[in-house]
Amino acid sequence: MSAAADVAARATAGFRQRYGGEPAGRWAAPGRVNLIGEHTDYNDGFVLPFALPLRTVVAAAVADDGRWSVWSELDDEPVEFGPAEADEPGRVDGWAAYVAGVVWALRAAGHAVPGARLAIASDVPVGSGLSSSAAIEAAVLAALVELGGLDLPADRWPRLAQRAENDYVGAPTGIMDQSAVIRGRPGHALFLDCRTEAVELIPFDLGAAGLAVLVIDSHAPHRHADGEYAARRKSCERAAKALGVAALRDVATGDLEAALARLDDAETRRRVRHVVTEDQRVLDTVELLRAGRIRDIGPLLTASHASMRDDFEITVPEIDTAVEAALAAGAYGARMTGGGFGGCVLALVDADAADAVAAAVAAAYADRGFTAPGTRTVLPAGGATRLD
Ligand code: GLA
């Protein structure tokens, strides 16, 4: 059985076992990696993520009592909640908060959300920075929209799922992850303007170019990731205010030096420099990809990493080690992907060199006494969808 079929079968088996009977349908949403454009989304800037072939599947059916039961492989027993808990952000916690958050966001937007029984299985690793939470949000959203016959076109789903995460779960994240896992398409990266939500699908045909993206899970524990993320976001917002712009996206590359000269503290200057140069690197990457020059994006990926390490200060030793080892083993470029303080590194490599690069990273980890990394090659996959 393929991995995708297996996870769907697990969701169905979970549904039958917990609730009895058959689900009305199964809906899936993927994890994501971000090719480039880190911590730019909440600065109204540009990102270039793609959806992964790893998926979360929700098997679901309407529940006539108007309440929600949700079981996942992470727990033995289903979590249950009704409208009262769903309407009070924070009342449901743990992984089930992403489900309650979607119910809350739908209800807050005036939709009549049907009660439902849901069973969730997933191949998206939790805590690796591959957006397992956005995958849950998107799959549950797809299920509830269809089960309830709600009038909600898919281009409005990312903002709604983001609200679930921001306002119900309480994580001040941007709109990148939800956009990637909802709007991603096979063979393409998603060029997203986070201010306008305009999307352009950029062909990213690694196979035809003899290339692969190697995703290296650092297995580094997330150290204070939530607090540090919120602190970075605040610092960017303060800087935008000090510079008299709506968001750091409004600082043009050519005006960067003048803008930096107006800021009096060195840390804030570094944060601003990361965001402004990172937006430019996204635009440059898109230009190269449009011209079919995939290999040439390597130096931009590596420059993005250096900027996250030195200016935004969100990397950790395991992550930097993976990047250095991948580059030394011949990767065209490598960078951390996602919010930081752990998670994954991606490396652009010749397809036939992927194993050697993975082995070089594993050897560097062994030398340093780090927990062995996880490695896999990935291709851009499709976004949230109904399976059957
Ligand atoms: C996390 C957030 C995203 C984005 C990235 C950093 O993944 O959920 O919104 O800010 O970090 O680029």
Side-chain angles (χ1 to χ4, degrees):
M1 196 184 287
S2 73
D6 184 47
V7 65
R10 297 202 313 266
T12 304
F15 187 97
R16 288 183 184 136
Q17 194 187 345
R18 299 293 147 184
Y19 308 123
E22 290 299 306
R26 300 184 296 184
W27 291 263
R32 66 96 188 89
V33 284
N34 187 19
L35 189 54
I36 195 163
E38 225 63 81
H39 288 263
T40 46
D41 61 353
Y42 56 77
N43 288 299
D44 276 4
F46 305 106
V47 294
L48 191 63
F50 63 85
L52 289 174
L54 302 167
R55 298 208 284 196
T56 293
V57 176
V58 176
V62 167
D64 293 330
D65 60 3
R67 294 175 58 82
W68 296 274
S69 293
V70 43
W71 170 84
S72 102
E73 294 176 304
L74 298 175
D75 269 332
D76 290 338
E77 293 305 317
V79 175
E80 302 203 0
F81 57 92
E85 292 97 327
D87 287 350
E88 196 183 316
R91 269 288 283 281
V92 178
D93 57 12
W95 59 267
Y98 298 109
V99 180
V102 167
V103 172
W104 171 82
L106 282 168
R107 286 168 62 85
H111 296 284
V113 189
R117 297 193 178 90
L118 309 119
I120 303 178
S122 184
D123 283 342
V124 186
V126 174
S128 294
L130 299 179
S131 292
S132 58
S133 54
I136 294 182
E137 290 156 9
V140 168
L141 192 48
L144 293 177
V145 165
E146 201 172 327
L147 287 174
L150 309 184
D151 180 18
L152 189 66
D155 59 359
R156 286 175 46 209
W157 295 4
R159 199 55 90 186
L160 209 126
Q162 185 198 8
R163 286 199 70 199
E165 185 139 348
N166 290 174
D167 298 343
Y168 193 93
V169 180
T173 52
I175 199 168
M176 170 171 71
D177 304 341
Q178 292 80 7
S179 301
V181 309
I182 289 166
R183 305 179 79 177
R185 293 293 173 268
H188 292 79
L190 188 86
F191 174 36
L192 173 69
D193 179 333
C194 298
R195 172 169 280 166
T196 64
E197 288 183 58
V199 151
E200 183 184 339
L201 289 166
I202 306 291
F204 191 51
D205 192 347
L206 292 159
L211 293 167
V213 165
L214 182 67
V215 173
I216 302 156
D217 190 335
S218 70
H219 289 157
H222 279 236
R223 302 177 188 98
H224 315 298
D226 295 350
E228 294 287 351
Y229 184 98
R232 294 302 180 285
R233 184 168 183 158
K234 278 223 166 64
S235 156
C236 291
E237 285 165 359
R238 270 199 309 270
K241 207 165 185 196
L243 292 169
V245 291
L248 290 182
R249 182 254 181 80
D250 298 310
V251 178
T253 304
D255 297 336
L256 176 59
E257 289 309 320
L260 295 181
R262 291 172 54 204
L263 296 167
D264 47 19
D265 110 273
E267 183 184 283
T268 309
R269 283 198 292 272
R270 290 198 298 277
R271 304 294 187 252
V272 171
R273 188 165 54 207
H274 167 72
V275 174
V276 175
T277 59
E278 184 78 349
D279 269 334
Q280 186 62 49
R281 282 185 289 270
V282 176
L283 299 177
D284 294 346
T285 302
V286 167
E287 277 307 300
L288 289 168
L289 293 182
R290 282 194 191 118
R293 294 169 53 191
I294 304 186
R295 277 181 182 74
D296 293 343
I297 72 171
L300 291 165
L301 304 181
T302 305
S304 166
H305 187 76
S307 180
M308 290 191 284
R309 182 191 60 214
D310 302 336
D311 279 347
F312 223 59
E313 298 175 281
I314 53 173
T315 69
V316 294
E318 290 89 336
I319 288 282
D320 293 331
T321 298
V323 167
E324 283 155 27
L327 292 171
Y332 293 103
R335 62 183 291 279
M336 183 182 74
T337 181
F341 304 97
C344 288
V345 160
L346 61 81
L348 180 67
V349 297
D350 282 323
D352 57 14
D355 288 346
V357 174
V361 174
Y365 268 49
D367 269 359
R368 298 271 197 114
F370 296 153
T371 305
T375 48
R376 56 162 60 89
T377 55
V378 297
L379 293 174
T385 183
R386 181 173 182 149
L387 290 183
D388 48 32

